[in-house]
Amino acid sequence: MSALISGSLAYDVIMRFPGRFGEHILPERIHTLSVAFMVTELRREFGGCAGNIAYTLHLLGEKALPVGAAGHDFAPYLKWLDEIGIDRSYIRQLDDVYTAQAFINTDDDGNQITAFHPGAMARAEEQPLPANSGARIGIVAPDGRDAMIQHAAQFAEAGIPFIFDPGQGLPMFDGEELERFIDQATWLAMNDYEAGVFCEKTRLGLEEIAERVQALIVTRGSRGSIIHVNGDTLQIPSVEPNAVVDPTGCGDAYRAGLLYGLLNDLEWEITGRIASLAGSIKVANRGTQNHSFTPGEFAARFEAAYGYSFH
């Protein structure tokens, strides 16, 4: 079974500064800031919401079909997708721009300075949803503004149920636009902070939003997640990770778990726990596409964590 995954494709350039940013910034001279930080660690990771979600869904044993746009520098990422067996038929490569890139510099206190270049992501609407992919469900994850609007409308027009995940794209939309997404989507997924912003922009309460979709999923980090469905509120516990190494991409792994449960018509209590475990496994690994497991290994970890099998 397959899922269409609309979202960003990006490179994450991760840097480590062995010191504290605050020791090199003079508050009284902040208006004329000119600072250089010598970094001792640097790595380039494959990322972006579509790539990350597709990666974990692929590990879970389902067919992931990422839909998005990349730039002229995308060859290494394409090679990676080919090596692991993810279909990249619906990724449009644009020859006149770079792939979206985030440059993240972290100091010893965990403070971060990030620069983000959207590149091809800003033109992701040039890649429409495929008409005959055979996908059962989909997701609209953070991407270029026009692409999120276009792909949500195309999912709705095609009658393909999909998750709407505004994520970091939330500031791009006003309340009226967000309500349109609610009416188009089948399910809605956000973290607790985003849920607060979403409610403020739409002037709707969580209960009102939940009544307009089949399920509203709100993640809360180490406190687990809450799924509002059929008038009930399900409390989904978190899973203690083997180590807390890197939370980046945890939400994407969680959403892959949601897609897996939906593709297999599992109950929400089980789907939420699969998603929670997927996020926990990701947290214990550096980068967003470096964790690894087979479907059998995942099933065994699920049984160890929850005391029963989801098969």
Side-chain angles (χ1 to χ4, degrees):
M1 293 177 286
S2 60
L4 286 168
I5 302 170
S6 165
S8 60
L9 295 155
Y11 288 116
D12 296 329
V13 181
I14 312 297
M15 297 166 282
R16 182 76 184 183
F17 173 62
R20 295 176 172 82
F21 294 142
E23 296 174 353
H24 299 268
I25 298 174
L26 300 175
E28 67 276 11
R29 302 296 299 276
I30 196 72
H31 61 291
T32 58
L33 185 65
S34 179
V35 182
F37 298 103
M38 182 70 71
V39 298
T40 56
E41 298 177 31
L42 185 148
R43 68 181 193 275
R44 192 188 200 199
E45 302 280 2
F46 302 122
C49 296
N52 297 341
I53 295 170
Y55 176 77
T56 298
L57 185 59
H58 176 74
L59 292 180
L60 288 166
E62 302 298 343
K63 186 175 183 180
L65 301 171
V67 181
H72 56 71
D73 57 342
F74 200 60
Y77 207 145
L78 286 177
K79 182 180 178 183
W80 166 245
L81 294 175
D82 289 342
E83 286 176 353
I84 60 179
I86 290 180
D87 189 332
R88 36 85 158 201
S89 301
Y90 310 121
I91 297 174
R92 176 161 300 195
Q93 195 167 358
L94 306 174
D95 295 333
D96 57 341
V97 291
Y98 286 100
T99 300
Q101 299 188 47
F103 301 86
I104 306 166
N105 194 4
T106 306
D107 73 1
D108 285 344
D109 287 334
N111 299 310
Q112 293 185 325
I113 297 175
T114 300
F116 181 73
H117 174 63
M121 189 189 81
R123 291 166 51 190
E125 74 280 0
E126 295 181 25
Q127 173 58 56
L129 287 182
N132 300 305
S133 68
R136 284 188 54 198
I137 63 173
I139 184 170
V140 173
D143 202 356
R145 171 185 159 82
D146 291 343
M148 294 179 73
I149 292 172
Q150 176 175 290
H151 290 169
Q154 290 172 346
F155 271 126
E157 290 166 7
I160 299 174
F162 73 97
I163 299 171
F164 177 59
D165 169 23
Q168 61 264 39
L170 188 55
M172 298 188 295
F173 305 107
D174 61 26
E176 182 177 338
E177 291 166 329
L178 292 174
E179 282 205 66
R180 188 177 305 118
F181 283 125
I182 294 174
D183 294 334
Q184 292 169 328
T186 314
W187 312 281
L188 182 60
M190 300 177 282
N191 65 33
D192 52 356
Y193 177 81
E194 292 159 358
V197 175
F198 199 101
C199 289
E200 183 177 331
K201 285 197 167 197
T202 60
R203 299 184 180 180
L204 296 171
L206 286 179
E207 295 78 10
E208 294 175 283
I209 295 171
E211 289 175 356
R212 292 169 60 172
V213 291
Q214 289 188 17
L216 167 62
I217 302 98
V218 180
T219 61
R220 304 184 300 164
S222 62
R223 294 178 294 132
S225 51
I226 297 175
I227 300 177
H228 303 266
V229 58
N230 297 327
D232 293 329
T233 301
L234 307 179
Q235 303 285 339
I236 306 298
S238 62
V239 178
E240 186 73 23
N242 292 339
V244 179
V245 175
D246 182 3
T248 309
C250 177
D252 294 331
Y254 183 100
R255 281 145 182 77
L258 294 179
L259 290 170
Y260 178 88
L262 292 166
L263 280 169
N264 289 278
D265 300 318
L266 299 177
E267 296 178 359
W268 278 106
E269 288 275 10
I270 296 175
T271 295
R273 282 165 169 77
I274 289 172
S276 183
L277 176 58
S280 173
I281 292 172
K282 201 322 301 153
V283 167
N285 293 268
R286 194 177 300 279
T288 58
Q289 297 181 33
N290 294 320
H291 53 294
S292 181
F293 52 79
T294 66
E297 289 169 345
F298 186 88
R301 292 191 65 169
F302 183 96
E303 189 166 358
Y306 297 113
Y308 64 93
S309 172
F310 63 84
H311 288 302

